[in-house]
Amino acid sequence: MNKTELISQDLFYFKIQLKYTLANLTDTHLRRGLFIYFGGGPKTQQLKIELNAILSGLIPSFQNIDNHTMSDINKIIEDQKRQLEAKLALISGNNLSALMAERKGYEAKIAEIDAKIQHICGELGIEGGLKSATKERRSRMSGTEIDAKILEAIKNSPQGISQIGISEATGVNYGSVVNWLKENAAKVRSEGERKGKRVFFK
């Protein structure tokens, strides 16, 4: 996979992550829980833990529901939604597709030139810096590193952590997190409804 394809993949998964978070911020399960908690229903410890887990998973700066009113939480949610919508607009409104297509064209030409230079350097018995540069461009997070980072993020979250939370805590892109969880189902378990799902160790 060349550099342009890697950038496109990262942008694709980032856009999915933004849309997923935006959808969850307006999820009826979250809204129902907040209404019960602030609307005179029973403020159980379990409900408080669940709401804190959902909100902290969706809003990086959120810490605790304590000392907040329903109005406070609504403002925090709306502010986060505006930030996400602004990022989605930035992705859609900056002609990224055309830029990526243009980059791909240049990348193909550079690869052709590099191949000719490498051929000549090979005849001269030197590398010419191209092999090491190629290795550096291709250096990505290894499978072992991804495994260690995700396991550490789950270990540090005894109350559970969302897929987006794992991605933000580790720097591993959202798509890779989803794939890792599928491939390592024997190591972890999940609880909660689909959009409020939390990941734990088994």
Side-chain angles (χ1 to χ4, degrees):
M1 189 178 289
N2 60 40
K3 186 69 173 178
T4 302
E5 289 169 338
L6 289 171
I7 295 170
S8 295
Q9 183 184 70
D10 285 347
L11 285 169
F12 174 75
Y13 283 127
F14 183 64
K15 192 172 181 179
I16 289 176
Q17 181 176 327
L18 292 176
K19 288 183 175 180
Y20 177 88
T21 305
L22 196 56
N24 283 340
L25 285 171
T26 56
D27 184 54
T28 54
H29 178 71
L30 172 59
R31 288 296 177 183
R32 191 185 307 118
L34 290 170
F35 180 77
I36 292 170
Y37 191 82
F38 289 107
K43 290 188 176 183
T44 65
Q45 184 66 15
Q46 180 59 40
L47 179 58
K48 176 183 172 182
I49 291 171
E50 183 178 0
L51 289 173
N52 275 330
I54 293 172
L55 290 169
S56 62
L58 298 174
I59 305 171
S61 60
F62 188 84
Q63 295 181 348
N64 200 297
I65 203 169
D66 287 340
N67 301 319
H68 283 299
T69 65
M70 183 68 172
S71 179
D72 294 334
I73 298 297
N74 282 335
K75 184 179 184 305
I76 291 169
I77 289 174
E78 290 305 313
D79 287 347
Q80 181 68 9
K81 284 169 61 180
R82 278 192 291 273
Q83 290 179 32
L84 296 171
E85 287 164 352
K87 288 180 180 179
L88 285 169
L90 191 62
I91 292 172
S92 302
N94 279 273
N95 206 22
L96 273 174
S97 297
L99 289 171
M100 295 303 293
E102 184 179 2
R103 191 187 195 286
K104 188 174 183 179
Y106 283 119
E107 196 167 60
K109 186 64 177 177
I110 290 171
E112 181 184 334
I113 294 169
D114 281 354
K116 291 177 181 178
I117 294 172
Q118 255 184 318
H119 176 73
I120 295 170
C121 288
E123 291 184 346
L124 294 171
I126 60 174
E127 285 189 4
L130 291 175
K131 287 185 180 178
S132 58
T134 301
K135 287 178 183 177
E136 183 178 345
R137 284 197 301 270
R138 290 181 181 173
S139 63
R140 304 280 290 178
M141 202 178 291
S142 68
T144 303
E145 190 176 358
I146 289 173
D147 193 67
K149 283 180 177 290
I150 292 178
L151 289 172
E152 183 69 16
I154 297 172
K155 178 183 175 183
N156 291 337
S157 306
Q159 293 184 349
I161 185 170
S162 66
Q163 293 175 162
I164 290 176
I166 293 172
S167 178
E168 291 173 345
T170 61
V172 177
N173 74 50
Y174 179 75
S176 296
V177 171
V178 172
N179 290 336
W180 186 94
L181 292 172
K182 287 179 181 177
E183 293 167 2
N184 293 272
K187 297 179 182 178
V188 297
R189 62 183 172 84
S190 59
E191 292 182 4
E193 295 184 11
R194 181 174 61 84
K195 291 184 178 180
K197 188 179 291 184
R198 315 290 295 177
V199 179
F200 303 81
F201 276 127
K202 279 191 173 178

